Amino acid sequence: MGGSLFADAVPAVGESKVIDGVTYHQHDVIIVGAGGAGMRAAIEAGPNASTAVISKLYPTRSHTGAAQGGMAAALANVEEDNWEWHTFDTVKGGDYLVDQDAAEILAKEAIDAVIDLENMGLPFNRTPEGKIDQRRFGGHTRDHGKAPVRRACYAADRTGHMILQTLYQNCVKHGINFFNEFYVLDLIMSEVDGVKKPAGVVAYELATGQLHVFQGKAVIFATGGFGKVYKTTSNAHTLTGDGVGIIWRKGLPLEDMEFFQFHPTGLAGLGILLTEGARGEGAILRNASGERFMERYAPTIKDLAPRDIVARCMVQEVAEGRGAGPHKDYVYLDCTHLGAEVLETKLPDITEFARTYLGVDPVVEPVPVMPTAHYAMGGIPTNNNAEVLSDNTTVVPGLYAAGECACVSVHGSNRLGTNSLLDINVFGKRAGNNAAEYVKTAEFAPLPEDPTAEIRGLIEMLQSSTGTESIAAIRKELQEEMDRNAQVFRTDESLGKVTQTIHGLRQRYRNIAVQDKGKRFNTDLLEAIELGFLLDLAEVVVFSARNRKESRGGHMRDDYPNRDDETYMKHTMAYLTGDPHSADAADHIKLDWKPVVITNYQPMERKY
């Protein structure tokens, strides 16, 4: 399939053609992922260039739809606010590991991002005057930390769901090409004039088991997070880090992978999320004796401290014997004083979740909660234009990333609530605009002679496997070990245990059995591939966490409890340099550092 004969056979832009059993497509812009970031990018790119959006799910099933509480923007509709306060809160909330130029962009462009969504038809809650209503959220303050502020724009407690529906409707309006239930399994890179750039992606069609090659001038990754490395998580079963894992296997770096956020209010034992918007409306965290314990830890903003602080305080309450329940292993979220009207109108989903999954009615009794793995602050390194970096500064031409899979870094070591829905809109928009501009002058990079060879070999190996190991058993052991030893509190000893477990699971992974040998809707096969990504990413998280001998944001080291700005005020950059099956992670992972961009706010002690 090489040379000019193959070039002549490639379909025209926007068309497809079957060659040797593989379907080839050609579009100017290829977007991988149809959540908020992917569809926001598509709305910008679609009217200006031939755009294809490839999603492992039907777009409105993407995990953006699970986001509940709101989207931050200093609209000042309810009380005085401005984007500079929002910038400061983002930097301070991220424990000063935030790149401050990116935070300024986020806060400045937040206002237009909300108005864009309103103009697209998103049904925000309204004030009596008809303006977009706003409520409080953790870590968002007025006057640089003096008091909580109402900054979160919201649609009840299903804001993410509304954003997803609105973006999809607008993508349909623009005639965007969607390829739903296609799993992207490989990024095709080509060298042109000594520079590596994306040539396209290889995808597996779930309905048929056929492989597809999407050739594009620009590729945008918007594939979401990888919370399924943990057992107790708010993340859906599909959040297995495929996009981040693909980038990792291509030898491109990952940034700040040790920083994972544990949302304070997951339903105890289940991890199903109860929005921080509940505390924004006035809900209170209490221990077994009914004490409002956050007053001791964050006297100014109490229950609305940033998520990393609240999660640690909850775990500490339990560790010190003040937990509730028969095993004293959770605390309470008390909403009873809010009244039925507030709960049923402003927080209807979480009210129903508590009733359905725990049999608890928040109107009359407190809800058992504990932290749940929620959000990856780290991921694919990008600059402020959403361009992917191959080192600290070098751009990979034509390759973009946005949303949770990307690390701008606008969240630093701890993301503020409501900044994620903002992130996907601000940087999704930037990715789409910049990709559309790039393809105006770029050429298609050449495809290799057999672009599906690697993935076809992987699929054939897995389907012909006669192994005895269970995919589900390996995944369960990985998730339980990560919960046990790499969650809210970590030590070198605990992280060392996870490292040994992952190495053992890698050896067992070589002997997995894929029971389903068919082609149509073979989820058994895809879960085997996803497990490979989970093992890769869990190892990078743990290896980076062992290397950062300090406590900062979502990374709390019991053996190094203090923040160490002199040594660690810098981003971790991890590179895959060898065979991941080697016994010592240091044999195949190399760590480097990247400076933090500081503009207006020098690192200070975080007091709330």
Side-chain angles (χ1 to χ4, degrees), residues 389-421:
L389 303 174
S390 62
D391 55 31
N392 288 3
T393 57
T394 307
V395 167
V396 180
L399 186 58
Y400 303 83
E404 189 175 353
C405 73
C407 183
V408 183
S409 161
V410 79
H411 304 307
S413 60
N414 173 63
R415 175 179 65 75
L416 287 190
T418 71
N419 270 359
S420 57
L421 291 178

PDB file of all heavy atoms in Angstrom, residues 389-421:
ATOM      1  N   LEU A 389       2.725  19.213  23.420  1.00  0.00           N
ATOM      2  CA  LEU A 389       4.167  19.430  23.501  1.00  0.00           C
ATOM      3  C   LEU A 389       4.911  18.099  23.530  1.00  0.00           C
ATOM      4  O   LEU A 389       4.457  17.143  24.167  1.00  0.00           O
ATOM      5  CB  LEU A 389       4.511  20.232  24.759  1.00  0.00           C
ATOM      6  CG  LEU A 389       3.824  21.605  24.900  1.00  0.00           C
ATOM      7  CD1 LEU A 389       4.146  22.219  26.253  1.00  0.00           C
ATOM      8  CD2 LEU A 389       4.257  22.529  23.766  1.00  0.00           C
ATOM      9  N   SER A 390       6.063  18.055  22.860  1.00  0.00           N
ATOM     10  CA  SER A 390       6.898  16.850  22.891  1.00  0.00           C
ATOM     11  C   SER A 390       7.983  16.947  23.956  1.00  0.00           C
ATOM     12  O   SER A 390       8.667  15.975  24.249  1.00  0.00           O
ATOM     13  CB  SER A 390       7.538  16.596  21.520  1.00  0.00           C
ATOM     14  OG  SER A 390       8.384  17.682  21.167  1.00  0.00           O
ATOM     15  N   ASP A 391       8.164  18.129  24.523  1.00  0.00           N
ATOM     16  CA  ASP A 391       9.029  18.351  25.688  1.00  0.00           C
ATOM     17  C   ASP A 391       8.504  19.610  26.368  1.00  0.00           C
ATOM     18  O   ASP A 391       7.325  19.950  26.217  1.00  0.00           O
ATOM     19  CB  ASP A 391      10.515  18.440  25.293  1.00  0.00           C
ATOM     20  CG  ASP A 391      10.778  19.502  24.235  1.00  0.00           C
ATOM     21  OD1 ASP A 391      10.061  20.523  24.203  1.00  0.00           O
ATOM     22  OD2 ASP A 391      11.705  19.318  23.419  1.00  0.00           O
ATOM     23  N   ASN A 392       9.349  20.333  27.068  1.00  0.00           N
ATOM     24  CA  ASN A 392       8.839  21.498  27.812  1.00  0.00           C
ATOM     25  C   ASN A 392       8.293  22.603  26.921  1.00  0.00           C
ATOM     26  O   ASN A 392       7.401  23.359  27.324  1.00  0.00           O
ATOM     27  CB  ASN A 392       9.947  22.077  28.696  1.00  0.00           C
ATOM     28  CG  ASN A 392      10.242  21.183  29.888  1.00  0.00           C
ATOM     29  OD1 ASN A 392       9.665  20.110  30.027  1.00  0.00           O
ATOM     30  ND2 ASN A 392      11.152  21.622  30.748  1.00  0.00           N
ATOM     31  N   THR A 393       8.825  22.717  25.688  1.00  0.00           N
ATOM     32  CA  THR A 393       8.455  23.861  24.850  1.00  0.00           C
ATOM     33  C   THR A 393       8.128  23.501  23.407  1.00  0.00           C
ATOM     34  O   THR A 393       7.478  24.290  22.719  1.00  0.00           O
ATOM     35  CB  THR A 393       9.601  24.896  24.824  1.00  0.00           C
ATOM     36  OG1 THR A 393      10.803  24.262  24.363  1.00  0.00           O
ATOM     37  CG2 THR A 393       9.850  25.481  26.212  1.00  0.00           C
ATOM     38  N   THR A 394       8.542  22.347  22.917  1.00  0.00           N
ATOM     39  CA  THR A 394       8.424  22.029  21.496  1.00  0.00           C
ATOM     40  C   THR A 394       7.023  21.541  21.146  1.00  0.00           C
ATOM     41  O   THR A 394       6.535  20.562  21.715  1.00  0.00           O
ATOM     42  CB  THR A 394       9.450  20.954  21.082  1.00  0.00           C
ATOM     43  OG1 THR A 394      10.754  21.382  21.488  1.00  0.00           O
ATOM     44  CG2 THR A 394       9.428  20.735  19.574  1.00  0.00           C
ATOM     45  N   VAL A 395       6.390  22.212  20.184  1.00  0.00           N
ATOM     46  CA  VAL A 395       5.045  21.861  19.746  1.00  0.00           C
ATOM     47  C   VAL A 395       5.103  20.725  18.728  1.00  0.00           C
ATOM     48  O   VAL A 395       5.984  20.689  17.866  1.00  0.00           O
ATOM     49  CB  VAL A 395       4.365  23.093  19.112  1.00  0.00           C
ATOM     50  CG1 VAL A 395       3.094  22.715  18.360  1.00  0.00           C
ATOM     51  CG2 VAL A 395       4.063  24.136  20.186  1.00  0.00           C
ATOM     52  N   VAL A 396       4.157  19.768  18.844  1.00  0.00           N
ATOM     53  CA  VAL A 396       3.963  18.753  17.812  1.00  0.00           C
ATOM     54  C   VAL A 396       2.987  19.347  16.802  1.00  0.00           C
ATOM     55  O   VAL A 396       1.792  19.499  17.116  1.00  0.00           O
ATOM     56  CB  VAL A 396       3.400  17.443  18.397  1.00  0.00           C
ATOM     57  CG1 VAL A 396       3.221  16.406  17.288  1.00  0.00           C
ATOM     58  CG2 VAL A 396       4.298  16.909  19.504  1.00  0.00           C
ATOM     59  N   PRO A 397       3.433  19.733  15.611  1.00  0.00           N
ATOM     60  CA  PRO A 397       2.540  20.443  14.678  1.00  0.00           C
ATOM     61  C   PRO A 397       1.305  19.619  14.337  1.00  0.00           C
ATOM     62  O   PRO A 397       1.402  18.447  13.987  1.00  0.00           O
ATOM     63  CB  PRO A 397       3.428  20.636  13.432  1.00  0.00           C
ATOM     64  CG  PRO A 397       4.828  20.450  13.891  1.00  0.00           C
ATOM     65  CD  PRO A 397       4.765  19.486  15.041  1.00  0.00           C
ATOM     66  N   GLY A 398       0.143  20.237  14.475  1.00  0.00           N
ATOM     67  CA  GLY A 398      -1.095  19.578  14.084  1.00  0.00           C
ATOM     68  C   GLY A 398      -1.715  18.683  15.133  1.00  0.00           C
ATOM     69  O   GLY A 398      -2.767  18.083  14.897  1.00  0.00           O
ATOM     70  N   LEU A 399      -1.109  18.589  16.332  1.00  0.00           N
ATOM     71  CA  LEU A 399      -1.634  17.724  17.386  1.00  0.00           C
ATOM     72  C   LEU A 399      -2.100  18.602  18.550  1.00  0.00           C
ATOM     73  O   LEU A 399      -1.338  19.427  19.062  1.00  0.00           O
ATOM     74  CB  LEU A 399      -0.578  16.730  17.856  1.00  0.00           C
ATOM     75  CG  LEU A 399      -1.033  15.656  18.856  1.00  0.00           C
ATOM     76  CD1 LEU A 399      -2.166  14.808  18.300  1.00  0.00           C
ATOM     77  CD2 LEU A 399       0.150  14.756  19.248  1.00  0.00           C
ATOM     78  N   TYR A 400      -3.347  18.408  18.968  1.00  0.00           N
ATOM     79  CA  TYR A 400      -3.968  19.237  19.996  1.00  0.00           C
ATOM     80  C   TYR A 400      -4.612  18.345  21.060  1.00  0.00           C
ATOM     81  O   TYR A 400      -4.935  17.182  20.804  1.00  0.00           O
ATOM     82  CB  TYR A 400      -5.037  20.154  19.384  1.00  0.00           C
ATOM     83  CG  TYR A 400      -4.517  21.047  18.288  1.00  0.00           C
ATOM     84  CD1 TYR A 400      -4.395  20.569  16.978  1.00  0.00           C
ATOM     85  CD2 TYR A 400      -4.121  22.357  18.555  1.00  0.00           C
ATOM     86  CE1 TYR A 400      -3.895  21.379  15.963  1.00  0.00           C
ATOM     87  CE2 TYR A 400      -3.626  23.173  17.542  1.00  0.00           C
ATOM     88  CZ  TYR A 400      -3.506  22.679  16.251  1.00  0.00           C
ATOM     89  OH  TYR A 400      -3.005  23.474  15.269  1.00  0.00           O
ATOM     90  N   ALA A 401      -4.820  18.907  22.251  1.00  0.00           N
ATOM     91  CA  ALA A 401      -5.542  18.189  23.310  1.00  0.00           C
ATOM     92  C   ALA A 401      -6.285  19.200  24.170  1.00  0.00           C
ATOM     93  O   ALA A 401      -5.813  20.325  24.373  1.00  0.00           O
ATOM     94  CB  ALA A 401      -4.587  17.363  24.170  1.00  0.00           C
ATOM     95  N   ALA A 402      -7.456  18.810  24.662  1.00  0.00           N
ATOM     96  CA  ALA A 402      -8.263  19.699  25.509  1.00  0.00           C
ATOM     97  C   ALA A 402      -9.115  18.870  26.450  1.00  0.00           C
ATOM     98  O   ALA A 402      -9.434  17.717  26.177  1.00  0.00           O
ATOM     99  CB  ALA A 402      -9.151  20.596  24.637  1.00  0.00           C
ATOM    100  N   GLY A 403      -9.498  19.494  27.570  1.00  0.00           N
ATOM    101  CA  GLY A 403     -10.324  18.808  28.559  1.00  0.00           C
ATOM    102  C   GLY A 403      -9.488  18.049  29.562  1.00  0.00           C
ATOM    103  O   GLY A 403      -8.304  18.329  29.751  1.00  0.00           O
ATOM    104  N   GLU A 404     -10.102  17.058  30.208  1.00  0.00           N
ATOM    105  CA  GLU A 404      -9.421  16.360  31.304  1.00  0.00           C
ATOM    106  C   GLU A 404      -8.198  15.591  30.839  1.00  0.00           C
ATOM    107  O   GLU A 404      -7.262  15.389  31.611  1.00  0.00           O
ATOM    108  CB  GLU A 404     -10.391  15.412  32.016  1.00  0.00           C
ATOM    109  CG  GLU A 404      -9.810  14.821  33.298  1.00  0.00           C
ATOM    110  CD  GLU A 404     -10.775  13.976  34.090  1.00  0.00           C
ATOM    111  OE1 GLU A 404     -11.979  13.943  33.722  1.00  0.00           O
ATOM    112  OE2 GLU A 404     -10.348  13.338  35.073  1.00  0.00           O
ATOM    113  N   CYS A 405      -8.164  15.142  29.598  1.00  0.00           N
ATOM    114  CA  CYS A 405      -6.994  14.396  29.120  1.00  0.00           C
ATOM    115  C   CYS A 405      -5.768  15.292  28.972  1.00  0.00           C
ATOM    116  O   CYS A 405      -4.646  14.799  28.883  1.00  0.00           O
ATOM    117  CB  CYS A 405      -7.293  13.689  27.799  1.00  0.00           C
ATOM    118  SG  CYS A 405      -7.396  14.783  26.357  1.00  0.00           S
ATOM    119  N   ALA A 406      -5.968  16.618  28.945  1.00  0.00           N
ATOM    120  CA  ALA A 406      -4.884  17.567  28.711  1.00  0.00           C
ATOM    121  C   ALA A 406      -4.421  18.210  30.014  1.00  0.00           C
ATOM    122  O   ALA A 406      -5.153  18.253  30.998  1.00  0.00           O
ATOM    123  CB  ALA A 406      -5.346  18.654  27.738  1.00  0.00           C
ATOM    124  N   CYS A 407      -3.181  18.706  30.007  1.00  0.00           N
ATOM    125  CA  CYS A 407      -2.644  19.436  31.151  1.00  0.00           C
ATOM    126  C   CYS A 407      -2.067  20.746  30.635  1.00  0.00           C
ATOM    127  O   CYS A 407      -1.007  20.752  30.004  1.00  0.00           O
ATOM    128  CB  CYS A 407      -1.565  18.605  31.855  1.00  0.00           C
ATOM    129  SG  CYS A 407      -0.899  19.394  33.335  1.00  0.00           S
ATOM    130  N   VAL A 408      -2.775  21.857  30.917  1.00  0.00           N
ATOM    131  CA  VAL A 408      -2.383  23.135  30.301  1.00  0.00           C
ATOM    132  C   VAL A 408      -1.198  23.842  30.986  1.00  0.00           C
ATOM    133  O   VAL A 408      -0.410  24.446  30.270  1.00  0.00           O
ATOM    134  CB  VAL A 408      -3.603  24.085  30.218  1.00  0.00           C
ATOM    135  CG1 VAL A 408      -3.257  25.383  29.521  1.00  0.00           C
ATOM    136  CG2 VAL A 408      -4.758  23.420  29.505  1.00  0.00           C
ATOM    137  N   SER A 409      -0.984  23.941  32.271  1.00  0.00           N
ATOM    138  CA  SER A 409      -1.704  23.412  33.409  1.00  0.00           C
ATOM    139  C   SER A 409      -2.520  24.519  34.069  1.00  0.00           C
ATOM    140  O   SER A 409      -1.973  25.430  34.659  1.00  0.00           O
ATOM    141  CB  SER A 409      -0.695  22.857  34.417  1.00  0.00           C
ATOM    142  OG  SER A 409      -1.223  22.710  35.695  1.00  0.00           O
ATOM    143  N   VAL A 410      -3.846  24.381  33.941  1.00  0.00           N
ATOM    144  CA  VAL A 410      -4.700  25.403  34.524  1.00  0.00           C
ATOM    145  C   VAL A 410      -5.240  24.986  35.891  1.00  0.00           C
ATOM    146  O   VAL A 410      -5.811  25.798  36.613  1.00  0.00           O
ATOM    147  CB  VAL A 410      -5.850  25.732  33.545  1.00  0.00           C
ATOM    148  CG1 VAL A 410      -6.935  24.681  33.595  1.00  0.00           C
ATOM    149  CG2 VAL A 410      -6.431  27.107  33.770  1.00  0.00           C
ATOM    150  N   HIS A 411      -5.051  23.714  36.246  1.00  0.00           N
ATOM    151  CA  HIS A 411      -5.567  23.224  37.523  1.00  0.00           C
ATOM    152  C   HIS A 411      -4.454  22.975  38.546  1.00  0.00           C
ATOM    153  O   HIS A 411      -4.742  22.722  39.716  1.00  0.00           O
ATOM    154  CB  HIS A 411      -6.360  21.934  37.317  1.00  0.00           C
ATOM    155  CG  HIS A 411      -7.479  22.082  36.339  1.00  0.00           C
ATOM    156  ND1 HIS A 411      -8.438  23.068  36.444  1.00  0.00           N
ATOM    157  CD2 HIS A 411      -7.785  21.385  35.213  1.00  0.00           C
ATOM    158  CE1 HIS A 411      -9.294  22.968  35.427  1.00  0.00           C
ATOM    159  NE2 HIS A 411      -8.916  21.958  34.679  1.00  0.00           N
ATOM    160  N   GLY A 412      -3.195  23.003  38.114  1.00  0.00           N
ATOM    161  CA  GLY A 412      -2.099  22.800  39.042  1.00  0.00           C
ATOM    162  C   GLY A 412      -2.200  21.462  39.750  1.00  0.00           C
ATOM    163  O   GLY A 412      -2.366  20.424  39.114  1.00  0.00           O
ATOM    164  N   SER A 413      -2.130  21.497  41.077  1.00  0.00           N
ATOM    165  CA  SER A 413      -2.176  20.247  41.835  1.00  0.00           C
ATOM    166  C   SER A 413      -3.549  19.981  42.430  1.00  0.00           C
ATOM    167  O   SER A 413      -3.736  18.981  43.116  1.00  0.00           O
ATOM    168  CB  SER A 413      -1.130  20.283  42.955  1.00  0.00           C
ATOM    169  OG  SER A 413      -1.380  21.356  43.837  1.00  0.00           O
ATOM    170  N   ASN A 414      -4.524  20.883  42.164  1.00  0.00           N
ATOM    171  CA  ASN A 414      -5.886  20.675  42.683  1.00  0.00           C
ATOM    172  C   ASN A 414      -6.849  21.569  41.917  1.00  0.00           C
ATOM    173  O   ASN A 414      -6.735  22.790  41.970  1.00  0.00           O
ATOM    174  CB  ASN A 414      -5.958  21.013  44.178  1.00  0.00           C
ATOM    175  CG  ASN A 414      -7.379  20.976  44.693  1.00  0.00           C
ATOM    176  OD1 ASN A 414      -8.032  19.939  44.678  1.00  0.00           O
ATOM    177  ND2 ASN A 414      -7.882  22.122  45.121  1.00  0.00           N
ATOM    178  N   ARG A 415      -7.794  20.946  41.210  1.00  0.00           N
ATOM    179  CA  ARG A 415      -8.758  21.733  40.438  1.00  0.00           C
ATOM    180  C   ARG A 415      -9.874  22.251  41.327  1.00  0.00           C
ATOM    181  O   ARG A 415     -10.421  21.521  42.141  1.00  0.00           O
ATOM    182  CB  ARG A 415      -9.357  20.868  39.319  1.00  0.00           C
ATOM    183  CG  ARG A 415     -10.458  21.599  38.551  1.00  0.00           C
ATOM    184  CD  ARG A 415     -11.030  20.750  37.446  1.00  0.00           C
ATOM    185  NE  ARG A 415     -11.738  19.560  37.911  1.00  0.00           N
ATOM    186  CZ  ARG A 415     -12.943  19.558  38.459  1.00  0.00           C
ATOM    187  NH1 ARG A 415     -13.595  20.699  38.666  1.00  0.00           N
ATOM    188  NH2 ARG A 415     -13.520  18.421  38.819  1.00  0.00           N
ATOM    189  N   LEU A 416     -10.228  23.523  41.139  1.00  0.00           N
ATOM    190  CA  LEU A 416     -11.410  24.067  41.811  1.00  0.00           C
ATOM    191  C   LEU A 416     -12.664  23.532  41.142  1.00  0.00           C
ATOM    192  O   LEU A 416     -12.720  23.385  39.915  1.00  0.00           O
ATOM    193  CB  LEU A 416     -11.426  25.596  41.730  1.00  0.00           C
ATOM    194  CG  LEU A 416     -10.431  26.365  42.589  1.00  0.00           C
ATOM    195  CD1 LEU A 416     -10.769  27.851  42.544  1.00  0.00           C
ATOM    196  CD2 LEU A 416     -10.427  25.886  44.033  1.00  0.00           C
ATOM    197  N   GLY A 417     -13.683  23.254  41.965  1.00  0.00           N
ATOM    198  CA  GLY A 417     -14.966  22.852  41.421  1.00  0.00           C
ATOM    199  C   GLY A 417     -15.489  23.901  40.448  1.00  0.00           C
ATOM    200  O   GLY A 417     -15.264  25.099  40.635  1.00  0.00           O
ATOM    201  N   THR A 418     -16.174  23.450  39.408  1.00  0.00           N
ATOM    202  CA  THR A 418     -16.749  24.257  38.310  1.00  0.00           C
ATOM    203  C   THR A 418     -15.719  24.732  37.296  1.00  0.00           C
ATOM    204  O   THR A 418     -16.091  25.261  36.252  1.00  0.00           O
ATOM    205  CB  THR A 418     -17.567  25.488  38.801  1.00  0.00           C
ATOM    206  OG1 THR A 418     -16.682  26.466  39.327  1.00  0.00           O
ATOM    207  CG2 THR A 418     -18.612  25.101  39.830  1.00  0.00           C
ATOM    208  N   ASN A 419     -14.425  24.568  37.574  1.00  0.00           N
ATOM    209  CA  ASN A 419     -13.417  24.944  36.582  1.00  0.00           C
ATOM    210  C   ASN A 419     -13.245  23.877  35.504  1.00  0.00           C
ATOM    211  O   ASN A 419     -12.611  24.132  34.485  1.00  0.00           O
ATOM    212  CB  ASN A 419     -12.069  25.222  37.251  1.00  0.00           C
ATOM    213  CG  ASN A 419     -11.911  26.676  37.660  1.00  0.00           C
ATOM    214  OD1 ASN A 419     -12.801  27.496  37.423  1.00  0.00           O
ATOM    215  ND2 ASN A 419     -10.780  27.012  38.267  1.00  0.00           N
ATOM    216  N   SER A 420     -13.792  22.684  35.712  1.00  0.00           N
ATOM    217  CA  SER A 420     -13.648  21.645  34.674  1.00  0.00           C
ATOM    218  C   SER A 420     -14.596  21.906  33.511  1.00  0.00           C
ATOM    219  O   SER A 420     -14.190  21.834  32.337  1.00  0.00           O
ATOM    220  CB  SER A 420     -13.904  20.255  35.263  1.00  0.00           C
ATOM    221  OG  SER A 420     -15.188  20.185  35.858  1.00  0.00           O
ATOM    222  N   LEU A 421     -15.866  22.203  33.797  1.00  0.00           N
ATOM    223  CA  LEU A 421     -16.793  22.540  32.712  1.00  0.00           C
ATOM    224  C   LEU A 421     -16.344  23.813  32.010  1.00  0.00           C
ATOM    225  O   LEU A 421     -16.577  23.983  30.805  1.00  0.00           O
ATOM    226  CB  LEU A 421     -18.210  22.693  33.254  1.00  0.00           C
ATOM    227  CG  LEU A 421     -18.879  21.394  33.742  1.00  0.00           C
ATOM    228  CD1 LEU A 421     -20.268  21.678  34.309  1.00  0.00           C
ATOM    229  CD2 LEU A 421     -18.965  20.364  32.625  1.00  0.00           C
TER     230      LEU A 421
END
